[in-house]
Amino acid sequence: QVQLVESGGGLVQAGGSLRLSCVASGSIFSFDAMGWYRQAPGNERELVAVITDGGSTNYADSVKGRFTISRDNAKNTVYLQMNSLKPEDTAVYYCAAESTAQGATMPWYWGQGTPVTVSS
């Protein structure tokens, strides 16, 4: 079974930065993509950023220009660098290993989540 473990969350002031890490028990290259999602209280879980097996990246409009997703295949690790954080970025952030099915790439495995709180 695949295990994903996130770390790096915490409390920061608006305008600050954090780097989240996701370590996988297996090769992340085995999946079509790795993604970061977030879920705020009362909201549905939403896609933040994704990186495909080909190295292409996509971001939610709300984080474009501020967040960067990257990976280190040798370390089986995916990162999310978050800059210029805003209070609306406050959420629990989840790492996901994804594969393509029914014409779309969907998460197959989830990490436990790491909370991020941005104060105003």
Side-chain angles (χ1 to χ4, degrees):
Q1 296 182 351
V2 175
Q3 295 184 17
L4 305 173
V5 180
E6 304 100 329
S7 62
L11 173 64
V12 297
Q13 293 184 343
S17 298
L18 285 174
R19 189 180 76 158
L20 307 183
S21 299
C22 171
V23 180
S25 61
S27 174
I28 60 175
F29 200 72
S30 298
F31 297 92
D32 294 324
M34 299 293 295
W36 283 98
Y37 292 72
R38 67 186 181 187
Q39 187 169 20
N43 294 338
E44 296 183 357
R45 192 169 299 183
E46 64 175 345
L47 177 66
V48 175
V50 61
I51 183 166
T52 71
D53 56 354
S56 63
T57 58
N58 290 101
Y59 300 90
D61 289 341
S62 59
V63 306
K64 286 182 179 177
R66 300 188 297 120
F67 290 11
T68 302
I69 187 172
S70 61
R71 70 186 184 203
D72 187 333
N73 290 335
K75 297 180 179 179
N76 293 320
T77 302
V78 179
Y79 304 96
L80 184 68
Q81 178 66 45
M82 305 186 296
N83 298 327
S84 302
L85 283 162
K86 304 175 181 180
E88 52 262 43
D89 295 319
T90 296
V92 177
Y93 284 71
Y94 298 89
C95 178
E98 307 189 353
S99 295
T100 300
Q102 302 182 24
T105 302
M106 301 290 292
W108 279 25
Y109 301 97
W110 294 97
Q112 85 286 359
T114 185
V116 172
T117 301
V118 184
S119 64
S120 60

